[in-house]
Amino acid sequence: MVETTMHAPTRTSGAVAQPAEQTPLDELKASLRKLLATLMDRAFGLALDKVEVLAGKLDEVAARGGLGLNALLGGVRASLQGRNPIWGAIKGAVAAMSPAAKAALIVALVLALLLLPLTVVLLLLVLIVVAVWAAVRAGSR
């Protein structure tokens, strides 16, 4: 069995004697450090809570914001990552589309590719007609 002995505080002229290494100024400094650490911990905790609330609100806006907002956010995100913001905006807009809208977009793109030769021929015919009309008009003056 280990015997422990308790020492009574030494009294000098009616006051409790302080240990030689712990002065009242050191105690004050230690208390102020603890207070500052507690204040910083609480301040950072409140700031982090506010950031989390803001991030949640931005997620909600992005989820129900529609094509325009998602395109804007996609473009900003891509530009912050050093990529092409236009491609990021396109990806953001497509991501916000419903599956039916995505299917309609794919069908429209396929039709545009299939009809591209016809469109080019029609455009060339229009340009020929405009050139002939301009030549006739210039010759009649």
Side-chain angles (χ1 to χ4, degrees), residues 36-112:
L36 181 62
T38 303
L39 287 175
M40 286 177 56
D41 186 41
R42 294 216 176 151
F44 285 132
L46 288 174
L48 287 175
D49 288 344
K50 295 297 180 184
V51 168
E52 287 178 5
V53 167
L54 179 64
K57 287 181 181 178
L58 287 176
D59 283 342
E60 287 176 21
V61 167
R64 60 183 160 83
L67 291 178
L69 184 61
N70 279 325
L72 175 70
L73 291 176
V76 168
R77 186 178 305 126
S79 118
L80 289 176
Q81 293 174 348
R83 297 184 313 206
N84 187 352
I86 294 174
W87 186 244
I90 292 170
K91 288 171 111 176
V94 170
M97 290 181 173
S98 67
K102 287 179 185 177
L105 177 65
I106 290 171
V107 168
L109 288 174
V110 168
L111 281 176

Side-chain angles (χ1 to χ4, degrees), residues 22-33:
Q22 191 79 358
T23 64
L25 184 59
D26 291 335
E27 287 180 16
L28 179 62
K29 287 179 183 178
S31 295
L32 287 175
R33 282 187 190 115

